[in-house]
Amino acid sequence: QAGLTQPPSVSKGLRQTATLTCIGSSNNVGNQGAAWLQQLQGHPPKLLSYRNYSRPSGISERFSASRSGNTASLTLTGLQPEDEADYYCSAWDSSLSAWVFGGGTKLTVL
Amino acid sequence: QVQLVQSGAEVKKPGASVKVSCKASGYTFTDYYMHWVRQAPGQGLEWLGWISPNNGSTTYAQKFQGRVTMTRDTSINTAYMELNLRSDDTAVYYCARESESFDYWGQGTLVTVSS
């Protein structure tokens, strides 16, 4: 099934800002909104944001999400070593009647 | 606090089936859909489907229709995912609660398919 498109990797320096992107379509991101998940090595995913920009309680304000058209973005400010992880976007696809995920972006903090 | 605790790792042969459990606590089990998501080694996330613990209705991803069955037992707040296995089904299988996307996840269950 069709998924969402994410860059495989992004590298940024300590205390810098990284912006991760997720390209979908009008059937998913553009209509239903996107969520972002963080997966640390060896751990289950953790929800960072939902409905394009909302953050669950306990999630740092350093993580902010947005959407423009069919593209969702996750911005991480003040990068820390513990931010090194895989980041996935997800959305409900109304044409497939299925949840879809991006392939994930591996964030490296230099 | 919300917890989803899954059953332990399994090793199965192709053609066999596996049944993974997911015990929920810390919230009203019947109030939230439960999803199943898998992750093959070194790969991304793949959605298998969901079950409504309230009435048992299910929706499966097209790829897994005919091979996967999701059930629940409300008396013990547990959801189950049973999959008829092929050789390429080796993965970590997660249950995940849906509340504005997947807000809580189980710890994962490694299912290894090997002849």
Side-chain angles (χ1 to χ4, degrees), chain A residues 1 35 37 39 42-47 49-51 88 90 92 97-103, chain B residues 35 37 39 43-47 50 59 61-63 94 98-103 105-107:
Chain A
Q1 62 191 33
L37 301 155
Q39 187 176 33
H43 290 265
K46 176 182 178 181
L47 184 65
S49 75
Y50 58 94
R51 288 193 184 276
Y88 294 92
S90 70
W92 171 253
S97 293
W99 281 89
V100 291
F101 291 93
Chain B
H35 294 250
V37 177
Q39 186 170 37
Q43 302 300 309
L45 303 171
E46 182 174 32
W47 180 74
W50 79 52
T59 296
Q62 186 172 10
K63 175 179 177 178
Y94 294 102
E98 180 191 343
S99 173
E100 303 287 6
S101 191
F102 308 116
D103 64 342
W105 293 67
Q107 83 275 20

Side-chain angles (χ1 to χ4, degrees), chain B residues 9-47:
Chain B
E10 303 262 13
V11 179
K12 297 287 186 179
K13 295 185 185 304
S17 66
V18 69
K19 190 171 186 177
V20 180
S21 67
C22 171
K23 183 171 177 61
S25 61
Y27 71 98
T28 302
F29 179 59
T30 51
D31 282 355
Y32 299 88
Y33 284 8
M34 191 71 78
H35 294 250
W36 291 89
V37 177
R38 76 177 187 179
Q39 186 170 37
Q43 302 300 309
L45 303 171
E46 182 174 32
W47 180 74

Side-chain angles (χ1 to χ4, degrees), chain A residues 33-77:
Chain A
W36 287 92
L37 301 155
Q38 177 194 59
Q39 187 176 33
L40 300 173
Q41 183 70 28
H43 290 265
K46 176 182 178 181
L47 184 65
L48 294 179
S49 75
Y50 58 94
R51 288 193 184 276
N52 300 319
Y53 55 82
S54 299
R55 259 193 315 269
S57 62
I59 300 301
S60 170
E61 292 180 354
R62 295 192 300 108
F63 297 96
S64 63
S66 62
R67 184 195 73 179
S68 176
N70 297 334
T71 299
S73 299
L74 177 70
T75 298
L76 299 80
T77 59

